């Protein structure tokens, strides 16, 4: 506000406008900062607080629009301050997506972030000699990139990365700061993330086609008449990433990114789908959730993982399934054990950085003790009191093959190969092949066959054929006489149905592939075991895979007949 005696000349109405704006601005900052104190787990405690925060930011945004001229003249409102408000609203929508798993909120976050760029709200920041303002701008770019990645807007991502690179160069040139290395690392991470897909789909003009791997209307094979399946619904998922050296951006590894998309539907327009976030009356019955709720845990400690797992377990509704996805480095037993219990086979790594035992991290330990920073199969036993669907992508995934179903609830574990042929190992930093099969089976099929690019027309033809294969796999599963009933109990849910059919396609492909047969003979496994002759080694399915290979002119990398070879 103008200083000195000039204050007395300000009309009362304009002074009230500035006062009201300052109140809303302070209140919004206070509420936004309070979001950090909300527990990250549990689906109920945060909703009313989020609702209040949205309310204040909505009022603040409309208020500055309605009174822009007065605020410009009397308050000295700068464009970067408007950008900050828009950026905070974008963050709110993004965090609402993380809390609810409703992809529509990503579109809202994109709208606000996009407006900041189009209206050049941050353009004047570089003229001010304040490095902290430039950092706000850089952080805005990083957040915008994350939202664009999640929405598969790769063309926008590439533009943003170029702009961010120029901004970082200008920032480091003007200010001698210590965070230069960190910002350059951000650029390297996003560049590696964008290039993680091993196969490019190309238009006729050689531009890259952006493919989405979320569940579309025609994605999962439909249940046909006579298929007897369970009525369970996937309600919650823990997606855990703890692979050493895997490409990641913003605490999201490539594997986590692929799996979260496999558990989401294509985004819809938010305005036509629902009201403002957090504004529903608590007495109303909430609408059926379009996507299962998810917790994304990057390199969690054992105690963090168990806390989130317990929260998800506690809040799991009746007739619902909890999914646990583990993409993590394998931990193997250190010594020989006479017993074969659920803590004798090792498991997958949990982060030791923040788990301190008795004030000290214990490194050298007696071999008779079990590994502490490890999620053992036995650690999951208490949670098998409810329907549990587990996916383990690890070099020690087979540790989870030794499960025991103690409580008689539906329980399935899908387990990755523990080793891959040498030609494929070099690609592990760009994400696991097993998870790629569960996310984008055609891309994985092309990759193992040595193809790195494909024309759009052929891609779409192969996708159509793959949908036919999925329908046939669904029939094989539901018509099997010897399959464990747990698979069928999960088969009623669209997401789990698609994961199961893709798992069988993956396993059948690897069993027929020459380099897998010659080098590793190491294939995906499951608990309970699938009847091989009726699923992964079914002659009808093998014929389909050879037909798909023929369409792509790569039949020579597959064996014609594998049945007698076991």
């Amino acid at each position: 506000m103008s200083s000195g005696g000039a204050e007395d000349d300000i009309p009362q109405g304009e002074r009230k406008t500035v006062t009201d704006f300052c109140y809303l601005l302070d209140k919004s900052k206070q509420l936004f900062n309070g979001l950090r104190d909300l527990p990250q787990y549990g689906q109920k405690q945060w909703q009313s607080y989020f609702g209040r925060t949205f309310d204040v930011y909505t009022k603040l945004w409309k208020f500055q629009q309605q009174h822009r001229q007065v605020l410009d003249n009397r308050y000295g409102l700068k464009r970067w301050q408007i950008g900050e408000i828009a950026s905070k609203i974008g963050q709110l929508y993004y965090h609402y997506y993380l809390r609810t798993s409703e992809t529509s909120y990503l579109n809202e976050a994109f709208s606000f972030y996009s407006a900041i760029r189009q209206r050049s709200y941050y353009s004047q920041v570089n003229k001010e000699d304040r490095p902290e303002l430039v950092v706000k701008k850089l952080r805005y770019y990083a957040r915008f990139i994350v939202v664009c990645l999640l929405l598969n807007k790769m063309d926008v991502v590439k533009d943003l990365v170029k702009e961010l690179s120029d901004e970082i160069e200008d920032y480091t040139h003007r200010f001698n700061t210590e965070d230069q290395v960190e910002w350059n690392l951000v650029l390297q991470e996003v560049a590696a993330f964008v290039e993680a897909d091993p196969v490019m789909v190309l238009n006729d003009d050689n531009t890259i086609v952006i493919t989405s791997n979320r569940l579309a209307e025609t994605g999962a094979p439909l249940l046909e008449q006579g298929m007897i399946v369970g009525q369970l619904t996937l309600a919650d998922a823990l997606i855990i990433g703890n692979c050493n050296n895997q490409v990641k951006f913003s605490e999201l590894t490539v594997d986590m990114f692929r799996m979260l998309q496999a558990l989401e539907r294509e985004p819809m327009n938010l305005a036509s789908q629902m009201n403002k976030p957090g504004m529903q009356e608590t007495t109303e019955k909430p609408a059926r959730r379009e996507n299962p709720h998810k917790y994304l845990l990057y390199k969690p400690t054992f105690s963090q993982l168990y806390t989130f797992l317990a929260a998800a377990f506690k809040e799991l509704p009746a007739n619902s399934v909890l999914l646990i996805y583990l993409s993590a480095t394998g931990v193997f037993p250190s010594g020989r054990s006479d017993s074969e219990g659920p803590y004798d086979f090792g498991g997958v790594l949990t982060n030791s950085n923040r788990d301190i035992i008795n004030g000290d991290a214990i490194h050298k330990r007696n071999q008779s003790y079990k590994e502490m920073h490890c999620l053992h199969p036995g650690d999951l036993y208490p949670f098998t009191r409810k329907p549990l669907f587990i996916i383990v992508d690890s070099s020690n995934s087979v540790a989870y093959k030794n499960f025991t179903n103690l409580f008689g609830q539906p329980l399935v574990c899908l387990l990755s190969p523990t080793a891959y042929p040498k030609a494929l190992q070099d690609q592990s930093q760009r994400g696991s092949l097993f998870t790629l099969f569960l996310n984008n089976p055609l891309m994985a099929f092309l990759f193992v066959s040595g193809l790195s690019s494909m024309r759009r027309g052929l891609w779409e033809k192969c996708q159509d054929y793959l949908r036919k294969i999925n329908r046939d796999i669904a029939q094989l599963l539901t018509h099997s006489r010897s399959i464990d009933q747990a698979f069928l109990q999960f088969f009623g849910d669209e997401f789990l149905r698609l994961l199961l059919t893709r798992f069988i396609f993956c396993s059948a492909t690897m069993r027929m592939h020459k380099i897998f047969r010659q080098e590793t003979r190491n294939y995906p496994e499951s608990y309970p075991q699938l009847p091989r002759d009726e699923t992964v080694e079914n002659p009808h399915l093998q014929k389909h895979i050879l037909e798909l290979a023929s369409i792509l002119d790569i039949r020579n990398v597959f064996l014609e007949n594998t049945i007698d070879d076991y």
Side-chain angles (χ1 to χ4, degrees):
M1 197 181 285
S2 305
S3 59
E7 250 187 61
D8 299 332
D9 300 333
I10 300 174
Q12 186 66 32
E14 292 186 5
R15 187 176 298 172
K16 185 177 185 310
T17 296
V18 172
T19 305
D20 289 351
F21 177 76
C22 290
Y23 168 79
L24 285 172
L25 190 62
D26 289 344
K27 186 69 176 171
S28 67
K29 287 177 180 175
Q30 179 190 338
L31 285 168
F32 193 90
N33 292 336
L35 292 172
R36 297 177 190 137
D37 300 326
L38 294 177
Q40 292 176 291
Y41 49 85
Q43 296 176 36
K44 300 290 180 279
Q45 307 96 315
W46 56 271
Q47 282 180 325
S48 62
Y49 192 95
F50 253 82
R52 291 205 308 279
T53 310
F54 263 107
D55 248 358
V56 170
Y57 270 97
T58 303
K59 287 175 186 171
L60 179 63
W61 184 251
K62 288 179 179 173
F63 193 88
Q64 63 82 24
Q65 285 178 319
Q66 291 163 356
H67 304 283
R68 179 74 57 82
Q69 193 169 357
V70 173
L71 293 170
D72 282 349
N73 296 335
R74 303 301 187 188
Y75 177 80
L77 184 66
K78 293 185 168 63
R79 288 188 66 74
W80 67 262
Q81 291 173 303
I82 302 169
E84 269 298 278
I85 297 168
S87 181
K88 288 284 198 296
I89 295 172
Q91 287 177 64
L92 279 174
Y93 275 117
Y94 173 67
H95 283 286
Y96 208 83
Y97 156 72
L98 290 179
R99 294 271 185 174
T100 64
S101 300
E102 290 297 352
T103 37
S104 307
Y105 294 122
L106 286 173
N107 283 331
E108 296 301 304
F110 177 83
S111 295
F112 274 89
Y113 286 148
S114 197
I116 293 169
R117 184 165 168 246
Q118 287 165 1
R119 298 173 192 175
S120 304
Y121 282 137
Y122 282 121
S123 61
Q124 301 299 309
V125 160
N126 294 20
K127 294 180 180 176
E128 301 200 26
D129 194 27
R130 294 172 61 187
E132 72 276 10
L133 289 186
V134 183
V135 169
K136 284 179 186 288
K137 186 177 186 178
L138 299 182
R139 285 178 178 162
Y140 149 73
Y141 269 106
R143 292 183 182 113
F144 194 6
I145 288 169
V146 171
V147 168
C148 290
L149 284 171
L150 289 165
L151 287 170
N152 293 305
K153 294 182 184 289
M154 295 302 176
D155 48 345
V156 184
V157 170
K158 286 173 183 172
D159 290 342
L160 291 174
V161 169
K162 187 178 184 311
E163 290 173 27
L164 177 59
S165 177
D166 293 342
E167 293 288 347
I168 291 170
E169 193 174 331
D170 179 69
Y171 169 64
T172 53
H173 181 71
R174 288 172 58 219
F175 305 104
N176 187 18
T177 60
E178 295 178 359
D179 56 356
Q180 178 179 350
V181 175
E182 290 171 34
W183 281 110
N184 284 325
L185 183 62
V186 168
L187 279 178
Q188 290 167 26
E189 283 183 348
V190 71
F193 207 95
V194 169
E195 293 169 6
D197 281 354
V199 179
M200 289 186 297
V201 184
L202 301 172
N203 284 311
D204 292 338
D205 61 357
N206 283 342
T207 55
I208 296 174
V209 179
I210 307 303
T211 58
S212 174
N213 301 304
R214 288 189 170 91
L215 181 63
E217 290 295 319
T218 57
L222 294 172
L223 292 175
E224 297 174 14
Q225 198 169 4
M227 288 185 176
I228 301 171
V229 297
Q231 301 300 310
L232 296 171
T233 302
L234 178 60
D236 218 327
L238 268 76
I239 297 178
I240 295 148
N242 195 11
C243 276
N244 294 333
N245 303 322
Q246 191 175 106
V247 168
K248 66 99 179 169
F249 184 62
S250 183
E251 301 215 328
L252 204 60
T253 66
V254 172
D255 280 354
M256 292 171 71
F257 176 74
R258 287 174 176 161
M259 185 49 59
L260 80 85
Q261 297 215 339
L263 300 178
E264 291 180 349
R265 299 177 193 279
E266 280 297 334
M268 293 167 61
N269 184 295
L270 184 63
S272 63
Q273 190 187 4
M274 62 188 69
N275 298 323
K276 191 165 59 175
M279 291 294 96
Q280 292 170 325
E281 290 293 326
T282 51
T283 52
E284 284 182 25
K285 189 176 180 184
R288 181 184 171 274
R289 191 191 297 280
E290 279 295 310
N291 292 323
H293 174 265
K294 296 183 297 297
Y295 291 116
L296 306 176
L297 302 179
Y298 174 67
K299 294 199 169 181
T301 62
F302 177 81
S303 52
Q304 286 171 327
L305 197 160
Y306 231 56
T307 301
F308 280 85
L309 190 50
F313 179 84
K314 179 186 174 187
E315 295 192 345
L316 196 70
N319 300 316
S320 296
V321 182
L322 173 60
L323 182 147
I324 302 171
Y325 168 78
L326 298 164
S327 162
T329 303
V331 176
F332 298 89
S334 53
R336 291 191 173 184
S337 174
D338 296 332
S339 62
E340 291 194 349
Y343 288 88
D344 294 318
F345 299 97
V348 300
L349 188 68
T350 56
N351 196 351
S352 59
N353 293 354
R354 297 183 292 273
D355 262 352
I356 304 299
I357 313 298
N358 297 330
D360 241 328
I362 298 170
H363 295 294
K364 291 185 178 179
R365 300 167 65 242
N366 189 311
Q367 287 201 344
S368 64
Y369 294 130
K370 308 304 177 192
E371 175 55 50
M372 194 181 305
H373 303 296
C374 169
L375 187 74
H376 298 266
D379 293 324
L380 297 179
Y381 277 22
F383 304 102
T384 61
R385 288 174 168 83
K386 293 181 180 179
L388 196 59
F389 194 98
I390 302 167
I391 301 171
V392 186
D393 195 339
S394 172
S395 55
N396 191 25
S397 59
V398 289
Y400 296 80
K401 191 171 69 170
N402 304 288
F403 238 92
T404 305
N405 191 338
L406 297 175
F407 303 104
Q409 291 293 312
L411 172 65
V412 160
C413 303
L414 305 183
L415 311 172
S416 72
T418 53
Y420 292 99
K422 287 191 179 78
L424 302 175
Q425 284 171 357
D426 295 341
Q427 301 295 320
S428 61
Q429 279 191 320
R430 295 164 68 178
S432 160
L433 177 61
F434 179 66
T435 294
L436 184 61
F437 262 105
L438 298 182
N439 162 263
N440 190 337
L442 181 55
M443 184 172 285
F445 189 83
L446 298 173
F447 173 60
V448 297
S449 305
L451 298 176
S452 59
S453 65
M454 165 165 296
R455 293 290 166 194
R456 182 177 194 155
L458 185 55
W459 171 270
E460 288 172 353
K461 180 181 178 182
C462 291
Q463 285 286 28
D464 285 341
Y465 194 77
L466 195 55
R467 278 189 278 274
K468 173 180 165 53
I469 293 177
N470 276 342
R471 286 196 298 272
D472 287 356
I473 292 173
Q475 287 191 336
L476 290 176
L477 265 175
T478 52
H479 293 164
S480 168
R481 295 186 176 186
S482 55
I483 194 166
D484 192 285
Q485 288 301 300
F487 291 101
L488 299 179
Q489 285 173 296
F490 290 128
F491 212 66
D493 180 87
E494 280 183 283
F495 293 104
L496 300 180
R497 183 157 72 247
L498 198 55
L499 288 172
L500 284 167
T501 54
R502 286 173 174 176
F503 173 79
I504 290 170
F505 174 73
C506 168
S507 191
T509 297
M510 289 181 182
R511 287 166 187 275
M512 293 180 69
H513 202 290
K514 287 178 182 176
I515 62 167
F516 279 87
R517 297 297 294 273
Q518 290 162 2
E519 282 193 45
T520 60
R521 298 183 74 87
N522 201 314
Y523 312 116
E525 298 197 47
S526 66
Y527 170 88
Q529 284 193 348
L530 284 162
R532 280 187 189 173
D533 56 331
E534 294 181 286
T535 55
V536 295
E537 290 172 18
N538 180 275
H540 184 63
L541 176 55
Q542 291 180 337
K543 185 180 169 189
H544 276 328
I545 289 172
L546 290 174
E547 183 58 37
L548 180 60
S550 296
I551 294 170
L552 294 163
D553 198 22
I554 49 171
R555 191 160 175 153
N556 60 311
V557 304
F558 292 95
L559 295 166
E560 295 288 328
N561 185 10
T562 62
I563 300 167
D564 302 328
D565 203 20
Y566 285 92

